[in-house]
Coordinates of all heavy atoms in Angstrom, one line a residue:
V300 N -40.1 -12.0 14.2 CA -40.7 -10.9 14.9 C -42.0 -10.5 14.3 O -42.0 -10.2 13.1 CB -39.7 -9.7 15.0 CG1 -40.4 -8.5 15.7 CG2 -38.5 -10.1 15.9
V301 N -43.0 -10.4 15.1 CA -44.3 -9.9 14.6 C -44.6 -8.6 15.4 O -44.8 -8.6 16.6 CB -45.5 -10.9 14.8 CG1 -46.8 -10.3 14.4 CG2 -45.2 -12.2 14.1
A302 N -44.5 -7.5 14.6 CA -44.8 -6.2 15.2 C -46.2 -5.8 15.0 O -46.7 -6.0 13.9 CB -43.9 -5.2 14.6
M303 N -46.9 -5.4 16.1 CA -48.3 -5.1 16.0 C -48.6 -3.7 16.6 O -48.1 -3.4 17.7 CB -49.1 -6.2 16.7 CG -48.9 -7.6 16.2 SD -49.7 -8.9 17.2 CE -48.6 -8.9 18.6
A304 N -49.5 -3.0 16.0 CA -50.0 -1.7 16.5 C -51.5 -1.8 16.8 O -52.2 -2.4 16.0 CB -49.7 -0.6 15.4
F305 N -51.9 -1.3 17.9 CA -53.3 -1.3 18.3 C -53.7 0.1 18.5 O -53.2 0.8 19.4 CB -53.5 -2.1 19.6 CG -53.1 -3.6 19.5 CD1 -51.7 -3.9 19.7 CD2 -54.0 -4.5 19.2 CE1 -51.3 -5.2 19.6 CE2 -53.6 -5.9 19.1 CZ -52.3 -6.2 19.3
D306 N -54.6 0.6 17.7 CA -55.1 2.0 17.8 C -56.0 2.3 18.9 O -56.0 3.4 19.5 CB -55.7 2.4 16.5 CG -54.7 2.5 15.3 OD1 -53.5 2.7 15.6 OD2 -55.1 2.5 14.2
T307 N -56.8 1.3 19.3 CA -57.8 1.5 20.4 C -57.1 1.3 21.7 O -56.0 0.6 21.8 CB -58.9 0.5 20.2 OG1 -58.4 -0.8 20.2 CG2 -59.7 0.8 18.9
A308 N -57.7 1.8 22.8 CA -57.1 1.5 24.1 C -57.2 0.0 24.4 O -58.2 -0.6 24.3 CB -58.0 2.3 25.1
V309 N -56.0 -0.5 24.8 CA -56.0 -1.9 25.1 C -55.4 -2.1 26.5 O -54.7 -1.3 27.0 CB -55.1 -2.7 24.1 CG1 -55.7 -2.7 22.7 CG2 -53.7 -2.1 24.0
D310 N -55.8 -3.2 27.1 CA -55.4 -3.5 28.5 C -54.2 -4.3 28.6 O -54.3 -5.6 28.5 CB -56.6 -4.1 29.2 CG -56.3 -4.3 30.7 OD1 -55.4 -3.6 31.2 OD2 -57.0 -5.1 31.4
L311 N -53.0 -3.7 28.6 CA -51.8 -4.4 28.7 C -51.2 -4.3 30.1 O -51.4 -3.3 30.8 CB -50.7 -3.8 27.7 CG -51.0 -4.1 26.2 CD1 -50.0 -3.3 25.4 CD2 -51.0 -5.6 25.9
P312 N -50.5 -5.3 30.6 CA -49.8 -5.1 31.9 C -48.9 -3.9 31.9 O -48.3 -3.6 30.9 CB -49.0 -6.5 32.0 CG -49.6 -7.4 31.1 CD -50.2 -6.6 29.9
D313 N -48.8 -3.4 33.1 CA -47.9 -2.2 33.2 C -46.5 -2.7 33.5 O -45.9 -2.5 34.5 CB -48.4 -1.3 34.4 CG -47.8 0.1 34.4 OD1 -47.5 0.5 33.3 OD2 -47.8 0.7 35.4
N314 N -46.0 -3.4 32.4 CA -44.6 -4.0 32.5 C -43.9 -3.8 31.1 O -44.6 -3.5 30.1 CB -44.7 -5.5 32.9 CG -45.3 -5.7 34.2 OD1 -46.5 -5.8 34.4 ND2 -44.4 -5.8 35.2
S315 N -42.6 -4.1 31.1 CA -41.9 -3.9 29.9 C -42.1 -5.0 28.9 O -41.9 -4.8 27.7 CB -40.4 -3.7 30.2 OG -39.9 -4.9 30.8
G316 N -42.4 -6.2 29.4 CA -42.6 -7.3 28.4 C -42.9 -8.6 29.2 O -43.0 -8.6 30.4
V317 N -43.1 -9.6 28.4 CA -43.4 -10.9 29.0 C -42.6 -12.0 28.3 O -42.6 -12.1 27.1 CB -44.9 -11.3 28.8 CG1 -45.2 -12.7 29.4 CG2 -45.8 -10.2 29.4
L318 N -41.8 -12.7 29.1 CA -41.1 -13.9 28.6 C -42.0 -15.1 28.9 O -42.7 -15.2 29.9 CB -39.7 -14.1 29.4 CG -38.8 -12.9 29.3 CD1 -37.6 -13.1 30.2 CD2 -38.3 -12.6 27.9
V319 N -41.9 -16.0 28.0 CA -42.8 -17.2 28.0 C -42.0 -18.5 28.4 O -41.0 -18.8 27.7 CB -43.5 -17.4 26.7 CG1 -44.4 -18.6 26.7 CG2 -44.3 -16.2 26.3
A320 N -42.4 -19.2 29.4 CA -41.8 -20.4 29.8 C -41.9 -21.4 28.7 O -42.9 -21.5 27.9 CB -42.4 -21.0 31.1
T321 N -40.9 -22.3 28.5 CA -40.9 -23.2 27.4 C -41.9 -24.4 27.6 O -42.2 -25.1 26.7 CB -39.5 -23.8 27.1 OG1 -39.0 -24.3 28.4 CG2 -38.6 -22.7 26.6
D322 N -42.4 -24.5 28.9 CA -43.4 -25.5 29.1 C -44.8 -24.9 29.2 O -45.8 -25.6 29.6 CB -43.1 -26.3 30.4 CG -43.1 -25.4 31.7 OD1 -43.4 -24.2 31.5 OD2 -42.8 -25.9 32.8
A323 N -45.0 -23.7 28.6 CA -46.3 -23.0 28.7 C -47.2 -23.4 27.5 O -48.4 -23.1 27.5 CB -46.1 -21.5 28.7
G324 N -46.6 -24.0 26.5 CA -47.4 -24.5 25.3 C -47.8 -23.4 24.4 O -48.8 -23.5 23.6
L325 N -47.0 -22.3 24.3 CA -47.3 -21.2 23.4 C -46.4 -21.2 22.2 O -45.3 -21.8 22.2 CB -47.2 -19.8 24.0 CG -48.5 -19.3 24.8 CD1 -48.9 -20.2 25.9 CD2 -48.2 -17.9 25.3
S326 N -46.8 -20.6 21.1 CA -45.9 -20.4 19.9 C -44.9 -19.3 20.2 O -43.8 -19.4 19.8 CB -46.8 -20.1 18.7 OG -47.6 -21.2 18.3
A327 N -45.4 -18.2 20.8 CA -44.5 -17.1 21.1 C -43.6 -17.4 22.2 O -43.9 -18.2 23.2 CB -45.3 -15.9 21.5
K328 N -42.3 -16.9 22.1 CA -41.4 -17.1 23.2 C -41.3 -15.8 24.1 O -40.7 -15.9 25.2 CB -40.0 -17.5 22.6 CG -39.4 -16.4 21.8 CD -38.1 -16.9 21.2 CE -37.4 -15.8 20.3 NZ -36.3 -16.3 19.6
A329 N -41.7 -14.7 23.5 CA -41.7 -13.5 24.3 C -42.5 -12.4 23.7 O -42.8 -12.4 22.5 CB -40.2 -13.0 24.4
F330 N -42.9 -11.4 24.5 CA -43.6 -10.2 24.0 C -42.9 -9.0 24.6 O -42.6 -9.0 25.8 CB -45.1 -10.2 24.4 CG -45.9 -11.3 23.8 CD1 -46.2 -12.4 24.5 CD2 -46.5 -11.1 22.6 CE1 -46.9 -13.4 24.0 CE2 -47.3 -12.1 22.0 CZ -47.5 -13.3 22.7
T331 N -42.6 -8.1 23.7 CA -42.1 -6.8 24.2 C -43.2 -5.8 24.2 O -43.8 -5.6 23.1 CB -40.9 -6.2 23.3 OG1 -39.9 -7.2 23.3 CG2 -40.4 -4.9 23.9
L332 N -43.6 -5.3 25.3 CA -44.7 -4.3 25.3 C -44.1 -2.9 25.1 O -43.9 -2.1 26.0 CB -45.4 -4.4 26.7 CG -45.9 -5.8 27.1 CD1 -46.6 -5.8 28.4 CD2 -46.8 -6.4 26.0
S333 N -43.8 -2.6 23.9 CA -42.9 -1.5 23.5 C -43.5 -0.2 24.0 O -42.7 0.7 24.4 CB -42.7 -1.5 22.0 OG -42.2 -2.7 21.5
S334 N -44.8 0.0 23.9 CA -45.3 1.3 24.3 C -45.4 1.4 25.8 O -45.7 2.5 26.4 CB -46.7 1.5 23.7 OG -47.5 0.4 23.9
K335 N -45.1 0.4 26.6 CA -45.0 0.4 28.0 C -43.5 0.6 28.4 O -43.1 1.3 29.3 CB -45.5 -0.8 28.7 CG -47.0 -1.0 28.5 CD -47.8 -0.1 29.5 CE -49.3 -0.5 29.5 NZ -50.0 0.3 30.5
K336 N -42.7 -0.1 27.6 CA -41.2 -0.2 27.9 C -40.5 1.1 27.6 O -39.6 1.5 28.4 CB -40.6 -1.3 27.1 CG -39.1 -1.5 27.4 CD -38.6 -2.7 26.6 CE -37.1 -2.9 26.8 NZ -36.5 -4.1 26.1
W337 N -40.9 1.8 26.5 CA -40.2 3.0 26.1 C -41.1 4.2 26.1 O -42.2 4.2 25.5 CB -39.7 2.8 24.7 CG -38.8 1.6 24.5 CD1 -39.2 0.4 24.0 CD2 -37.4 1.5 24.8 NE1 -38.1 -0.5 24.0 CE2 -37.0 0.2 24.5 CE3 -36.5 2.4 25.4 CZ2 -35.7 -0.2 24.7 CZ3 -35.2 2.0 25.6 CH2 -34.8 0.7 25.3
S338 N -40.8 5.2 26.9 CA -41.6 6.4 27.0 C -41.7 7.1 25.6 O -42.8 7.7 25.4 CB -40.9 7.4 28.0 OG -40.9 6.8 29.3
H339 N -40.7 7.1 24.8 CA -40.8 7.8 23.5 C -41.8 7.2 22.6 O -42.3 7.8 21.7 CB -39.4 8.0 22.9 CG -38.8 6.7 22.4 ND1 -38.3 5.7 23.2 CD2 -38.7 6.1 21.1 CE1 -37.9 4.7 22.5 NE2 -38.1 4.9 21.2
I340 N -42.0 5.9 22.8 CA -43.0 5.2 22.0 C -44.4 5.4 22.6 O -45.4 5.6 21.8 CB -42.7 3.7 21.9 CG1 -41.4 3.5 21.0 CG2 -43.9 2.9 21.3 CD1 -41.0 2.0 20.9
A341 N -44.5 5.5 23.9 CA -45.8 5.8 24.5 C -46.3 7.1 24.1 O -47.5 7.3 24.1 CB -45.6 5.7 26.1
E342 N -45.4 8.0 23.8 CA -45.8 9.4 23.4 C -46.7 9.4 22.1 O -47.4 10.3 21.8 CB -44.6 10.3 23.2 CG -43.8 10.6 24.5 CD -42.5 11.3 24.2 OE1 -42.2 11.5 23.0 OE2 -41.8 11.6 25.2
R343 N -46.6 8.3 21.4 CA -47.3 8.2 20.1 C -48.8 7.9 20.3 O -49.6 8.0 19.4 CB -46.7 7.1 19.2 CG -45.3 7.5 18.7 CD -44.5 6.3 18.1 NE -45.2 5.7 17.0 CZ -44.6 4.8 16.3 NH1 -43.4 4.3 16.6 NH2 -45.3 4.3 15.2
G344 N -49.2 7.6 21.6 CA -50.6 7.5 21.9 C -51.3 6.2 21.4 O -52.5 6.1 21.4
I345 N -50.5 5.2 21.0 CA -51.1 3.9 20.6 C -50.3 2.8 21.3 O -49.2 3.0 21.9 CB -51.0 3.7 19.1 CG1 -49.6 3.8 18.6 CG2 -51.9 4.7 18.4 CD1 -49.4 3.5 17.1
S346 N -50.8 1.6 21.2 CA -50.1 0.5 21.9 C -49.3 -0.3 20.8 O -49.9 -0.7 19.8 CB -51.1 -0.5 22.5 OG -51.8 0.2 23.6
L347 N -48.1 -0.5 21.0 CA -47.2 -1.2 20.1 C -46.6 -2.4 20.8 O -46.1 -2.3 22.0 CB -46.1 -0.3 19.6 CG -46.6 0.8 18.6 CD1 -45.5 1.8 18.4 CD2 -47.0 0.2 17.3
V348 N -46.7 -3.6 20.2 CA -46.2 -4.8 20.8 C -45.4 -5.6 19.8 O -45.7 -5.7 18.6 CB -47.4 -5.7 21.3 CG1 -46.9 -7.0 21.9 CG2 -48.2 -4.9 22.3
R349 N -44.3 -6.2 20.3 CA -43.5 -7.1 19.5 C -43.7 -8.5 20.0 O -43.4 -8.8 21.2 CB -42.0 -6.8 19.5 CG -41.5 -5.6 18.7 CD -40.1 -5.2 19.1 NE -39.2 -6.4 19.3 CZ -38.1 -6.6 18.6 NH1 -37.7 -5.7 17.7 NH2 -37.3 -7.6 18.9
A350 N -44.0 -9.5 19.2 CA -44.0 -10.9 19.5 C -42.8 -11.5 18.9 O -42.5 -11.3 17.7 CB -45.3 -11.5 19.1
S351 N -42.1 -12.4 19.6 CA -41.0 -13.2 19.1 C -41.4 -14.6 19.1 O -41.9 -15.2 20.1 CB -39.8 -12.9 19.9 OG -39.4 -11.6 19.9
L352 N -41.1 -15.3 18.0 CA -41.4 -16.7 17.8 C -40.2 -17.4 17.3 O -39.3 -16.9 16.6 CB -42.5 -16.9 16.9 CG -43.9 -16.4 17.2 CD1 -44.0 -14.9 16.7 CD2 -45.0 -17.2 16.6
A353 N -40.1 -18.7 17.6 CA -39.0 -19.7 17.1 C -37.7 -19.5 17.8 O -37.3 -18.4 18.1 CB -38.8 -19.5 15.6
R354 N -37.2 -20.7 18.1 CA -35.8 -20.8 18.8 C -35.0 -21.7 17.9 O -35.4 -22.3 16.9 CB -35.9 -21.3 20.2 CG -36.7 -20.5 21.2 CD -36.7 -21.2 22.5 NE -37.4 -20.4 23.6 CZ -38.7 -20.4 23.8 NH1 -39.5 -21.0 23.1 NH2 -39.1 -19.6 24.8
F355 N -33.8 -21.9 18.4 CA -32.8 -22.8 17.7 C -33.5 -24.2 17.5 O -34.0 -24.8 18.5 CB -31.6 -22.9 18.5 CG -30.6 -23.9 17.9 CD1 -29.9 -23.6 16.7 CD2 -30.3 -25.1 18.6 CE1 -29.0 -24.5 16.2 CE2 -29.4 -26.0 18.0 CZ -28.7 -25.7 16.8
G356 N -33.5 -24.7 16.3 CA -34.1 -26.0 16.0 C -35.5 -26.0 15.7 O -36.1 -27.0 15.3
D357 N -36.2 -24.9 16.0 CA -37.6 -24.8 15.8 C -37.9 -23.9 14.5 O -38.0 -22.6 14.6 CB -38.3 -24.2 17.0 CG -39.8 -23.9 16.8 OD1 -40.4 -24.5 15.9 OD2 -40.4 -23.1 17.5
T358 N -38.0 -24.5 13.4 CA -38.1 -23.7 12.1 C -39.5 -23.6 11.6 O -39.8 -22.9 10.6 CB -37.2 -24.3 11.0 OG1 -37.6 -25.7 10.8 CG2 -35.8 -24.3 11.4
G359 N -40.5 -24.3 12.3 CA -41.8 -24.3 11.9 C -42.4 -22.9 11.6 O -43.0 -22.7 10.5
P360 N -42.4 -22.0 12.6 CA -43.0 -20.7 12.4 C -42.4 -19.9 11.2 O -43.2 -19.1 10.6 CB -42.7 -19.9 13.7 CG -42.6 -21.0 14.7 CD -41.9 -22.2 14.0
L361 N -41.2 -20.2 10.8 CA -40.6 -19.5 9.6 C -41.3 -19.8 8.3 O -41.3 -19.1 7.4 CB -39.1 -19.7 9.5 CG -38.3 -18.8 10.4 CD1 -38.2 -19.5 11.8 CD2 -36.9 -18.6 9.8
A362 N -42.0 -21.0 8.3 CA -42.7 -21.5 7.1 C -44.1 -21.0 7.1 O -44.8 -21.2 6.1 CB -42.6 -23.0 7.0
W363 N -44.6 -20.5 8.2 CA -46.0 -20.0 8.2 C -46.2 -18.7 7.4 O -45.2 -18.0 7.2 CB -46.5 -19.7 9.7 CG -46.4 -20.9 10.6 CD1 -46.2 -22.2 10.3 CD2 -46.6 -20.8 12.0 NE1 -46.3 -23.0 11.4 CE2 -46.5 -22.2 12.5 CE3 -46.8 -19.8 12.9 CZ2 -46.6 -22.5 13.8 CZ3 -46.9 -20.1 14.3 CH2 -46.8 -21.5 14.7
S364 N -47.4 -18.5 6.9 CA -47.6 -17.3 6.2 C -47.7 -16.1 7.2 O -47.8 -16.3 8.4 CB -49.0 -17.4 5.5 OG -50.0 -17.4 6.5
D365 N -47.6 -14.9 6.7 CA -47.7 -13.7 7.5 C -49.0 -13.7 8.3 O -49.0 -13.4 9.5 CB -47.6 -12.4 6.7 CG -46.2 -12.2 6.2 OD1 -45.3 -13.0 6.4 OD2 -46.0 -11.1 5.5
E366 N -50.1 -14.1 7.6 CA -51.4 -14.1 8.3 C -51.4 -15.1 9.5 O -51.9 -14.8 10.6 CB -52.5 -14.5 7.3 CG -52.7 -13.4 6.3 CD -51.7 -13.4 5.2 OE1 -50.8 -14.3 5.1 OE2 -51.6 -12.4 4.4
Q367 N -50.8 -16.3 9.3 CA -50.7 -17.3 10.3 C -49.9 -16.8 11.5 O -50.2 -17.1 12.7 CB -50.2 -18.6 9.8 CG -51.1 -19.3 8.8 CD -50.4 -20.5 8.2 OE1 -49.3 -20.5 7.7 NE2 -51.1 -21.7 8.2
L368 N -48.8 -16.1 11.2 CA -47.9 -15.6 12.2 C -48.6 -14.5 13.1 O -48.5 -14.5 14.3 CB -46.6 -15.1 11.6 CG -45.6 -16.2 11.1 CD1 -44.6 -15.5 10.2 CD2 -45.0 -16.9 12.3
V369 N -49.3 -13.6 12.4 CA -50.0 -12.6 13.2 C -51.1 -13.2 14.0 O -51.3 -12.9 15.2 CB -50.6 -11.6 12.2 CG1 -51.5 -10.6 12.9 CG2 -49.5 -10.8 11.5
E370 N -51.9 -14.2 13.4 CA -52.9 -14.9 14.2 C -52.3 -15.6 15.4 O -52.9 -15.5 16.5 CB -53.6 -15.9 13.3 CG -54.5 -15.3 12.2 CD -55.0 -16.4 11.3 OE1 -54.8 -17.6 11.5 OE2 -55.8 -16.0 10.3
A371 N -51.2 -16.3 15.3 CA -50.6 -16.9 16.4 C -50.1 -15.9 17.5 O -50.3 -16.2 18.7 CB -49.4 -17.8 15.9

Side-chain angles (χ1 to χ4, degrees):
V300 171
V301 179
M303 298 174 287
F305 300 85
D306 289 339
T307 58
V309 295
D310 186 19
L311 292 173
D313 199 21
N314 296 87
S315 61
V317 181
L318 302 174
V319 178
T321 54
D322 61 2
L325 272 63
S326 298
K328 65 184 178 186
F330 294 95
T331 303
L332 308 180
S333 302
S334 50
K335 295 282 190 176
K336 181 175 180 178
W337 303 101
S338 297
H339 69 285
I340 293 180
E342 292 170 0
R343 293 166 59 176
I345 57 176
S346 295
L347 291 167
V348 177
R349 283 170 40 123
S351 299
L352 298 86
R354 296 178 175 86
F355 177 68
D357 174 21
T358 59
L361 279 86
W363 298 351
S364 68
D365 287 2
E366 292 76 12
Q367 289 173 315
L368 287 164
V369 173
E370 288 174 3

